[in-house]
Amino acid sequence: MNTWHIHIGGLVQGVGFRPYVCRMAGALGIKGCVSNGNDGVHILFNATGEQATGFYNKLVSSPPANAIIRTHHCERAHSQKFDDFSIQASDSTAKPDMLLAPDIAICHQCLHEIQDPGSNRFQYPFTTCLECGPRYSIISDLPYDRENTTMAELKMCACCHTEYNDINNRRHYSQTNSCPYCSIPIHLFDNQGIAICHDTECAMVLVHQALQEGKIVAVKGIGGYLLLCDATRQHSIRTLRERKHRPAKPFAVMYPSLAMMEKDLIITGKEKEALTGKVSPIVLCKLKQEPATGLCANAVAPGLDKIGAMLPYTPLLFLLSRRFAHPLIATSGNLSGSPVIYTDEDALIWLGEQADLILAFDRDIVTPQDDSVLQFSERYGHRIVLRRSRGLAPNYYPSPFDIDNNILAMGADLKSSFALLDDHNLYVSQYLGDQGSYDSQESYKNTLRHLSALLHFKPGHILIDNHPDYFVSKAGKDIGEELKIPVSGIQHHKAHFCAVLAENDLLHDEENVLGVIWDGTGYGDDQQIWGGEFLLLEDGDISRYMHLDYFPQLLGDKMSKEPRISAVSLLRNNMDHLMLIRDQFSIEEREFYLKLLNQQQHLLTSSAGRLLDGIASILGILSFNTYEGEAAMKLEAAARKCDRSLFDHYAIPVNKNRLNWSTMIDAIMADKKEGLAIPLIARKVFVSLAMLIRNVAIRSGVKKIAFGGGVFQNALLVDLIAELMQEEFELYFHKQLSPNDECIGFGQIAYIQLMKQYEKKNSQQTEMIHY
């Protein structure tokens, strides 16, 4: 009998792979050992050639549910004799080469246990198993073992040890195992940071009582603190808005069950699947006309027809939610414009300003993450990632790249996220927010530092956005200078285009592809602000095929915060039209903008995002954004009030390579003057944009059309495009990533991949800015 070695790489730690191997070996009568290494799982065993082949094939053909096998091989090894099969100590000597286990929502078995009075984990708020619980958020080092997580200081009791060592137990070698007898200590504080109690049941009762009284409670989750309050009580929601300085941005709502959720929301099959899956994200679902739970829908999401709904994804949140038995607001515990608070110390310092009580526990969070957010288009069920974070980050698999260099791609400043290409493994960080504040910048740097340390990652090339003022671009230059490695700048919209190409395996495609890249802002090759782009991939080269006609970018970034400024820019050549929006300005402001319009404007934009902002203002929907994307979201909500069989639209003529939106604006003003209903005008706008894309695609003669940029978070527009174009064209949208700027780092690497292929094919250097 020979000795064999099986090596399996990929996502094989934190998913119950070692216990799975033990059970399989036991069933087949195989003796040997299994261990974690920094490069995956290693198995040594005694077997005949036939037995080894059978064991190997079984292991790789039916792995644990949460595993991803990326590589595997079996070979003869030096002879060893084994008397049983065991799990051996992990080996941390190799450079890490693996995918990292994301945090996993509570599984159905654990959910059943905490509701079963006969279970030893009945109502235990930190119940986990091999199938669920925190992973990425608590890892401090690799390989994945308890001592390399923030569970290291929390010792298991004798009962948990017995489970841990029992090959037939579902918690065999579960690194996050605990129970009421070795409970993770819990602490309840008032808003002055004074401890109220340290007993689990006492804390749960007091939190429940506070929620019933309309108070706000900060509760620690997997990736950070959440603020909870009664979603059926106007006063509680109003108080939360006042304390968070968040006048209109929608809140997510947590329901104790899908059944209760369906009393308020219309939930499709795909939405149910997402809500109840292992990620357990927030999912935008359509409100019913009359929510039956008493949900204060307009206070939760003012002016919108969808609610971000979620189910509890930790046992603690489930027990609190079930006991309260009503919908709860569940929003990130953070200061305005800053990342989610995740340390207990910061929670006690800062969240007392927002919450009446603070519920903490002694399992520290290493990597903070917001909740992931998804939506599905109404008609075609197209999945749109709005925020990629808890449960989805940091792995991207399979990697579409084949580049012989380690790359750090810094991404963009808004909706920030970076990407690491580490040999054949690709990681895209969780959503890191807008980099306009010091706290967000520190969060970005800490996350990059931590992930790099985990992976022992050393970049050989830095990629940045061409925008001269981006924090992340400046940080990339600093890293490049420190490490003395090249730094290359990549145009924002080309990165967007390459991201959707890579997601759809189109980087290697021989056919031309037309990219429709629409967003709010991006620094263009002509030093203007792009955002309404049609880019053409032809023979490995990306060119600007067409774009929305330019209009003045007035007052810099202030324009993105005040849709009325976009309206002024769009209407600048028609004084009669300008007069129709004069009520949105004071007398002094009118004089200021008239003087401004008489000056030569050097900074121009082609932004589709600002075009939609301006139209929302013109229609009287919104003059000031209180959160990013508010005007466009409310314009979309207005359009959804219309009969979807209506396809009236406005003309947008082509003038050489520019698309004359002013014709549409004139027609909108005429419709408004005639008293046409605002929802009908709004729908005509979105139909017009879909028709424009179709017309440009026909003119280009290209059959493959790829879509990127934040505008394509608009589910109505995505459905209209599909309805008008899918019979004639091949349409490509993002899959794992968001179309917004979270995909830019990934797209920067994709651009390098494309250029490498082009250089190899044509034996010439491509144009790129190097620093």
Side-chain angles (χ1 to χ4, degrees):
M1 194 173 286
N2 297 312
T3 302
W4 302 84
H5 172 228
I6 295 174
H7 176 213
I8 302 176
L11 178 48
V12 292
Q13 296 186 16
V15 295
F17 213 97
R18 289 175 295 180
Y20 159 74
V21 173
C22 283
R23 290 193 299 273
M24 181 76 73
L28 296 177
I30 287 178
K31 294 177 171 54
C33 65
V34 60
S35 63
N36 276 345
N38 270 352
D39 55 352
V41 167
H42 293 268
I43 307 160
L44 284 169
F45 61 101
N46 300 141
T48 65
E50 185 178 351
Q51 287 174 322
T53 300
F55 183 40
Y56 173 53
N57 289 338
K58 281 180 178 292
L59 285 176
V60 299
S61 63
S62 55
N66 294 321
I68 296 173
I69 294 179
R70 192 186 62 77
T71 60
H72 56 87
H73 68 265
C74 179
E75 61 187 3
R76 288 271 296 272
H78 292 297
S79 180
Q80 296 182 57
K81 186 175 183 300
F82 298 98
D83 297 321
D84 57 10
F85 200 96
S86 62
I87 296 176
Q88 297 294 308
S90 298
D91 180 2
S92 61
T93 55
K95 181 191 179 299
D97 178 12
M98 68 175 82
L99 300 175
L100 302 175
D103 300 312
I104 309 168
I106 184 171
C107 70
H108 295 299
Q109 286 178 284
C110 286
L111 205 55
H112 174 75
E113 277 184 301
I114 64 175
Q115 297 177 83
D116 178 8
S119 167
N120 71 329
R121 286 181 174 79
F122 177 57
Q123 295 190 345
Y124 179 55
F126 306 107
T127 299
T128 65
C129 70
L130 292 171
E131 302 285 333
C132 69
R135 300 289 193 271
Y136 180 50
S137 62
I138 64 169
I139 296 172
S140 55
D141 203 353
L142 295 172
Y144 177 73
D145 286 306
R146 192 179 182 106
E147 59 263 31
N148 290 331
T149 74
T150 57
M151 294 288 292
E153 302 301 317
L154 303 166
K155 305 304 179 185
M156 283 187 282
C157 66
C159 180
C160 284
H161 262 295
T162 300
E163 292 176 330
Y164 185 83
N165 291 310
D166 181 358
I167 191 172
N168 296 311
N169 193 283
R170 52 188 295 267
R171 294 188 172 88
H172 180 220
Y173 257 73
S174 173
Q175 303 305 309
T176 56
N177 199 21
S178 68
C179 76
Y181 301 104
C182 54
S183 176
I184 296 173
I186 197 167
H187 314 284
L188 184 65
F189 301 90
D190 67 14
N191 60 4
Q192 300 302 308
I194 299 171
I196 297 173
C197 75
H198 305 284
D199 175 76
T200 299
E201 181 56 25
C202 172
M204 301 291 275
V205 168
L206 291 176
V207 167
H208 174 69
Q209 182 180 327
L211 292 171
Q212 281 192 318
E213 292 171 357
K215 293 181 178 178
I216 298 162
V217 182
V219 178
K220 192 175 183 180
I222 283 184
Y225 276 83
L226 290 173
L227 294 172
L228 307 182
C229 74
D230 188 347
T232 68
R233 193 181 291 231
Q234 291 273 3
H235 174 73
S236 298
I237 301 169
R238 184 166 56 250
T239 301
L240 181 58
R241 289 200 177 280
E242 289 169 356
R243 292 181 183 178
K244 278 185 69 71
H245 308 291
R246 183 170 169 167
K249 189 175 183 179
F251 289 129
V253 179
M254 180 185 295
Y255 288 84
S257 67
L258 195 62
M260 184 182 290
M261 193 183 289
E262 289 184 305
K263 293 181 179 181
D264 293 343
L265 307 172
I266 299 167
I267 306 174
T268 67
K270 287 186 176 181
E271 289 165 350
K272 286 181 186 177
E273 186 179 352
L275 286 161
T276 57
K278 63 184 179 183
V279 175
S280 191
I282 297 169
V283 179
L284 269 59
C285 301
K286 193 167 184 178
L287 275 162
K288 290 184 174 179
Q289 291 280 20
E290 295 184 12
T293 66
L295 177 75
C296 300
N298 198 49
V300 170
L304 300 175
D305 60 345
K306 288 185 175 184
I307 292 285
M310 65 193 300
L311 293 170
Y313 52 85
T314 72
L316 174 59
L317 291 173
F318 174 79
L319 292 169
L320 290 172
S321 180
R322 189 186 66 160
R323 187 179 295 217
F324 188 64
H326 297 288
L328 284 166
I329 298 293
T331 190
S332 296
N334 66 326
L335 302 179
S336 181
S338 295
V340 63
I341 289 172
Y342 68 100
T343 68
D344 299 339
E345 294 77 12
D346 282 346
L348 294 178
I349 293 170
W350 300 109
L351 291 183
E353 299 175 9
Q354 300 175 357
D356 300 295
L357 294 177
I358 299 168
L359 185 60
F361 51 81
D362 287 357
R363 187 184 67 213
D364 290 341
I365 297 167
V366 177
T367 303
Q369 300 167 88
D370 289 283
D371 296 318
S372 292
V373 185
L374 308 178
Q375 74 167 326
F376 295 84
S377 67
E378 187 175 341
R379 181 158 189 180
Y380 293 98
H382 181 79
R383 179 178 181 266
I384 303 170
V385 178
L386 302 177
R387 184 167 71 201
R388 182 181 177 274
S389 203
R390 175 188 55 78
L392 295 175
N395 306 312
Y396 187 99
Y397 179 84
S399 171
F401 306 132
D402 180 20
I403 300 173
D404 189 24
N405 198 1
N406 284 356
I407 294 178
L408 165 59
M410 301 297 287
D413 256 25
L414 302 177
K415 300 283 193 295
S416 197
S417 172
F418 62 81
L420 305 180
L421 182 63
D422 186 15
D423 195 9
H424 40 243
N425 294 319
L426 177 62
Y427 309 91
V428 180
S429 80
Q430 69 272 29
Y431 162 83
L432 294 170
D434 298 344
Q435 298 302 303
S437 72
Y438 173 79
D439 288 341
S440 293
Q441 293 170 9
E442 286 299 296
S443 176
Y444 181 104
K445 289 190 287 187
N446 289 339
T447 303
L448 175 57
R449 193 180 300 119
H450 173 63
L451 186 55
S452 297
L454 272 184
L455 301 171
H456 301 180
F457 174 77
K458 293 183 179 178
H461 192 181
I462 308 285
L463 307 179
I464 63 173
D465 192 279
N466 281 341
H467 197 298
D469 296 326
Y470 274 178
F471 159 76
V472 297
S473 296
K474 293 176 181 176
K477 290 179 184 178
D478 290 343
I479 295 170
E481 185 175 337
E482 179 185 345
L483 298 178
K484 294 180 172 52
I485 57 176
V487 178
S488 301
I490 295 165
Q491 200 279 323
H492 187 86
H493 297 91
K494 292 177 182 177
H496 261 306
F497 187 21
C498 287
V500 69
L501 290 172
E503 282 236 77
N504 290 280
D505 198 27
L506 293 172
L507 289 173
H508 307 278
D509 206 275
E510 294 295 324
E511 294 182 50
N512 294 349
V513 183
L514 183 67
V516 188
I517 312 300
W518 288 0
D519 63 1
T521 181
Y523 191 71
D525 287 339
D526 58 358
Q527 288 76 56
Q528 303 298 347
I529 306 301
W530 290 9
E533 311 307 308
F534 288 85
L535 304 179
L536 183 63
L537 174 64
E538 188 173 24
D539 296 327
D541 184 47
I542 296 175
S543 60
R544 193 184 194 194
Y545 179 67
M546 286 188 184
H547 62 89
L548 294 177
D549 201 1
Y550 281 128
F551 51 100
Q553 175 82 21
L554 300 176
L555 303 179
D557 289 341
K558 188 175 183 180
M559 190 164 163
S560 65
K561 298 172 183 176
E562 298 185 24
R564 62 179 191 159
I565 299 177
S566 292
V568 168
S569 185
L570 296 174
L571 301 176
R572 68 192 183 283
N573 293 325
N574 191 315
M575 186 56 66
D576 290 339
H577 289 170
L578 275 173
M579 292 303 291
L580 294 176
I581 63 166
R582 64 185 182 277
D583 290 345
Q584 298 184 40
F585 302 89
S586 67
I587 293 173
E588 292 78 9
E589 287 174 328
R590 291 176 206 167
E591 292 175 357
F592 170 78
Y593 282 105
L594 286 174
K595 288 179 181 177
L596 185 65
L597 291 176
N598 285 327
Q599 300 170 12
Q600 185 176 358
Q601 300 298 323
H602 297 287
L603 187 61
L604 305 174
T605 183
S606 59
S607 169
R610 298 294 80 78
L611 176 65
L612 291 171
D613 279 357
I615 291 170
S617 174
I618 288 167
L619 296 181
I621 292 172
L622 198 71
S623 298
F624 295 87
N625 279 330
T626 63
Y627 58 91
E628 198 252 338
E630 182 178 5
M633 289 170 66
K634 290 184 173 176
L635 184 66
E636 180 187 1
R640 271 200 296 265
K641 294 177 183 176
C642 270
D643 183 347
R644 70 182 189 189
S645 66
L646 296 174
F647 281 87
D648 293 349
H649 61 280
Y650 303 113
I652 304 177
V654 176
N655 181 11
K656 296 182 180 178
N657 72 329
R658 299 193 179 193
L659 303 162
N660 189 0
W661 47 260
S662 63
T663 303
M664 177 174 68
I665 296 296
D666 289 342
I668 289 170
M669 298 303 292
D671 275 352
K672 188 183 177 190
K673 189 175 180 180
E674 289 293 320
L676 199 66
I678 297 301
L680 182 54
I681 298 175
R683 179 174 173 85
K684 287 177 70 175
V685 168
F686 289 114
V687 174
S688 304
L689 295 176
M691 289 294 294
L692 170 66
I693 293 168
R694 180 177 180 272
N695 293 338
V696 172
I698 291 170
R699 180 182 286 255
S700 73
V702 175
K703 288 298 181 183
K704 294 185 175 182
I705 318 297
F707 299 85
V711 168
F712 294 107
Q713 295 175 123
N714 184 309
L716 173 62
L717 180 59
V718 168
D719 264 351
L720 288 170
I721 289 166
E723 191 160 2
L724 290 171
M725 297 182 66
Q726 64 182 2
E727 296 299 324
E728 301 175 80
F729 300 92
E730 297 174 43
L731 308 179
Y732 298 93
F733 295 90
H734 279 283
K735 295 177 178 178
Q736 294 188 47
L737 301 177
S738 174
N740 69 32
D741 279 7
E742 288 178 47
C743 75
I744 290 294
F746 175 88
Q748 289 165 344
I749 300 175
Y751 183 84
I752 294 294
Q753 175 76 59
L754 182 68
M755 294 302 102
K756 294 285 186 187
Q757 292 169 194
Y758 185 58
E759 287 175 14
K760 187 175 180 181
K761 181 179 177 181
N762 294 277
S763 301
Q764 64 186 57
Q765 191 74 25
T766 55
E767 289 186 13
M768 201 159 23
I769 298 174
H770 300 284
Y771 296 93

